[in-house]
């Protein structure tokens, strides 16, 4: 009787551990951000920097539909909308970036499991509405 009880307990423990392992393996991991791009501006100018202060540019991150992506600038710049943005049916999340200071900016698109970064140069911009030359 003692031997069959031990066998039962051992078999039950093994089945329980296997069930936990299968459930953990079946839980999908968050999808990674596979691409991060910053669209060029609409203006030109005398600066070698392709982006200008107070000018707006579209940032796009590609990830799995239903995930959330947040954008941030490690220097002084803002993204609109701020916070986590739902990845839509197109598989992308977009936000408008406006740098506030000239110099090198490190831009980031992040979700719970991954990140993509871009380093861009920003010059002094002159926002004219329909164009934004970089001086």
């Amino acid at each position: 009787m003692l031997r069959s009880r031990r066998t039962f307990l051992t078999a039950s423990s093994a089945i329980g551990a296997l069930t936990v392992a299968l459930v953990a393996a079946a839980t999908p991991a968050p999808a990674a951000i596979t691409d991060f791009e910053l669209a060029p501006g609409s203006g030109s100018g005398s600066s070698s920097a392709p982006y200008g202060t107070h000018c707006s540019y579209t940032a796009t991150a590609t990830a799995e539909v239903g995930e959330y992506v947040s954008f941030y600038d490690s220097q002084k710049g803002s993204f609109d909308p701020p916070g986590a943005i739902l990845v839509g049916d197109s598989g992308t999340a977009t936000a408008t970036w406006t740098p506030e200071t000239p110099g090198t900016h490190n831009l980031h698109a992040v979700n719970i499991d991954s990140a993509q970064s871009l380093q861009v140069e920003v010059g002094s911009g002159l926002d004219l509405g329909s164009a934004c030359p970089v001086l």
Side-chain angles (χ1 to χ4, degrees), residues 52-57 73 76-80 96-100:
T53 57
H54 310 292
C55 303
S56 296
Y57 307 95
D73 181 345
K76 201 165 182 177
S78 61
F79 284 94
D80 185 33
T96 302
W97 173 61
T98 306
E100 297 175 25

Side-chain angles (χ1 to χ4, degrees), residues 1-17:
M1 175 81 120
L2 182 59
R3 181 177 181 143
S4 62
R5 185 168 185 220
R6 277 191 197 156
T7 303
F8 175 76
L9 290 175
T10 302
S12 296
S13 296
I15 291 170

Side-chain angles (χ1 to χ4, degrees), residues 32-33 41 44 76 79 88 94 118 120 125 135:
I33 295 172
S44 59
K76 201 165 182 177
F79 284 94
T94 61
L118 297 172
V120 297
L135 310 173

Side-chain angles (χ1 to χ4, degrees), residues 83-110:
I85 301 167
L86 180 65
V87 176
D89 291 338
S90 65
T92 61
T94 61
T96 302
W97 173 61
T98 306
E100 297 175 25
T101 58
T104 303
H105 286 246
N106 294 300
L107 308 180
H108 309 278
V110 298

Side-chain angles (χ1 to χ4, degrees), residues 3-81:
R3 181 177 181 143
S4 62
R5 185 168 185 220
R6 277 191 197 156
T7 303
F8 175 76
L9 290 175
T10 302
S12 296
S13 296
I15 291 170
L18 181 60
T19 301
V20 169
L22 289 174
V23 168
T27 304
I33 295 172
T34 57
D35 193 29
F36 179 34
E37 297 177 346
L38 186 63
S42 60
S44 59
S46 59
S47 175
S48 61
Y51 302 100
T53 57
H54 310 292
C55 303
S56 296
Y57 307 95
T58 301
T60 303
T62 304
E64 187 172 314
V65 173
E67 291 289 321
Y68 286 88
V69 174
S70 295
F71 297 96
Y72 72 94
D73 181 345
S74 4
Q75 284 68 34
K76 201 165 182 177
S78 61
F79 284 94
D80 185 33

